[in-house]
Amino acid sequence: MTSPGLDYRDLPDTEAAILISSRVSEWDREEPLRYAALGLMALAVEKRMLWRYVTDPQDGLPCHSFARWVRVCAPAGYSTIYSALRDCEALADVPAADLAQIPHECFSTMKHLSGGVRKRPEVLAAAKTGRGTLIQHVQKHFPDQHIEDTEDLRLHPTTSQKAIILQAIEE
């Protein structure tokens, strides 16, 4: 069984271009795809130059570049597609089937892990469940990776206490 969003990989270029373009257009108009699936599809379009098989509605000719393909398929999601593409390139050592199941919130943490750690099955499994689980797993089993979670700190100081706190932060 093919992972969701990856069924275009074995299609001929023309069919893959149409399928991916259709999905990206749907993503931009309706409900978002997984971030990784979007990045993997954009990566396929760029690497295989599938943009050449998509008609540009502005002139009725094939798209002349990857950037034009992005504008045609997802005008509102331009920066998201490029961000997902860059993130998927940075995590190219992670199998695409696993990457497609990792939520967007885990990408920054995964990029900070060493290649040997991030490819481990138990790390991939933790990443698929969310950032908190991933960070806890890495901290427990790979403390040398120095990954920390962020926590909100909410204070309700009085006016004079606020001045002292701000002064301490500045120093």
Side-chain angles (χ1 to χ4, degrees), residues 39-55:
L40 291 167
M41 287 189 288
L43 195 55
V45 169
E46 184 183 51
K47 298 282 188 217
R48 292 170 58 183
M49 297 193 315
L50 299 177
W51 44 265
R52 299 177 298 172
Y53 303 101
V54 177
T55 303

Side-chain angles (χ1 to χ4, degrees), residues 139-152:
Q139 286 176 334
K140 181 177 180 181
H141 300 285
F142 304 99
D144 60 323
Q145 294 294 301
H146 304 291
I147 299 294
E148 289 194 50
D149 202 359
T150 58
E151 293 183 20
D152 287 337

Side-chain angles (χ1 to χ4, degrees), residues 97-159:
D98 289 318
L99 198 58
Q101 298 175 47
I102 296 174
H104 182 193
E105 66 182 16
C106 293
F107 271 68
S108 63
T109 303
M110 289 292 287
K111 289 190 311 184
H112 285 94
L113 298 175
S114 67
V117 170
R118 72 173 161 232
K119 290 186 288 187
R120 296 178 65 101
E122 67 273 17
V123 172
L124 291 171
K128 292 173 190 177
T129 62
R131 188 169 184 272
T133 304
L134 173 61
I135 289 173
Q136 287 176 354
H137 181 81
V138 170
Q139 286 176 334
K140 181 177 180 181
H141 300 285
F142 304 99
D144 60 323
Q145 294 294 301
H146 304 291
I147 299 294
E148 289 194 50
D149 202 359
T150 58
E151 293 183 20
D152 287 337
L153 177 62
R154 296 176 190 238
L155 304 173
H156 301 285
T158 63
T159 305

Side-chain angles (χ1 to χ4, degrees), residues 10 18 30 53 55 59 64 73 78 82 87 95 100 111 114 119 123 128 133 137 151 162-163 171:
D10 297 325
I18 292 167
E30 297 170 10
Y53 303 101
T55 303
D59 59 15
H64 58 84
C73 292
Y78 192 83
Y82 273 101
D87 284 347
K111 289 190 311 184
S114 67
K119 290 186 288 187
V123 172
K128 292 173 190 177
T133 304
H137 181 81
E151 293 183 20
K162 179 180 176 182
E171 293 175 359

Side-chain angles (χ1 to χ4, degrees), residues 19-42:
L19 178 64
I20 292 172
S21 296
S22 171
R23 286 201 180 144
V24 170
S25 295
E26 289 171 10
W27 171 81
D28 195 48
R29 284 191 311 269
E30 297 170 10
E31 111 184 28
L33 294 171
R34 286 185 162 270
Y35 182 76
L38 182 62
L40 291 167
M41 287 189 288

